[in-house]
Amino acid sequence: MSAPSTWLVWCLGIAFVGLGLLFLLAPRAGASLFGLSAPEGEGFGYLPAIGLRDLAFGLYLLILSFTSTPRVIGLIFAATLVIPIGDVIIVAVARGTDAILNLLLHGASAAVMAAGSIWFLRLSTNNNTGGQP
């Protein structure tokens, strides 16, 4: 529990839970942090969906920190790279360099996920049995 890798997972889990709650409780502030204006009308419903995505991911990480292996966490981090890379593309297409701080935030998230994935995969054994005991 005191390993630096565990603390990384906990910090990221708590950060994503916080982001999820931000989008659920203050969706306009969440949209601003993301890098896009909050939509009006029915489109506004996408903001809580983003909040639920981030909340669920944060909870996944917290649960995995207690129940999983470094290999599984490393693979989850690798798969999760789709989210921040997609977020960079979405913000870049919509706003370009006008949103440089938001792009850097999403890029930093991708870098942390990539580095975490590499770290956890290096910590893991070469057990390739998947879900088999």
Side-chain angles (χ1 to χ4, degrees), residues 50-113:
I50 292 170
L52 291 172
R53 172 192 81 170
D54 288 347
L55 179 63
F57 180 64
L59 293 173
Y60 297 157
L61 289 180
L62 294 172
I63 291 166
L64 287 172
S65 75
F66 292 103
T67 63
S68 194
T69 65
R71 180 176 178 76
V72 170
I73 294 172
L75 293 170
I76 295 294
F77 273 36
T80 301
L81 279 166
V82 170
I83 295 172
I85 291 170
D87 291 348
V88 166
I89 293 168
I90 290 166
V91 173
V93 167
R95 296 206 34 221
T97 57
D98 290 343
I100 193 70
L101 292 177
N102 305 98
L103 292 169
L104 289 172
L105 178 66
H106 294 300
S109 178
V112 168
M113 286 295 163

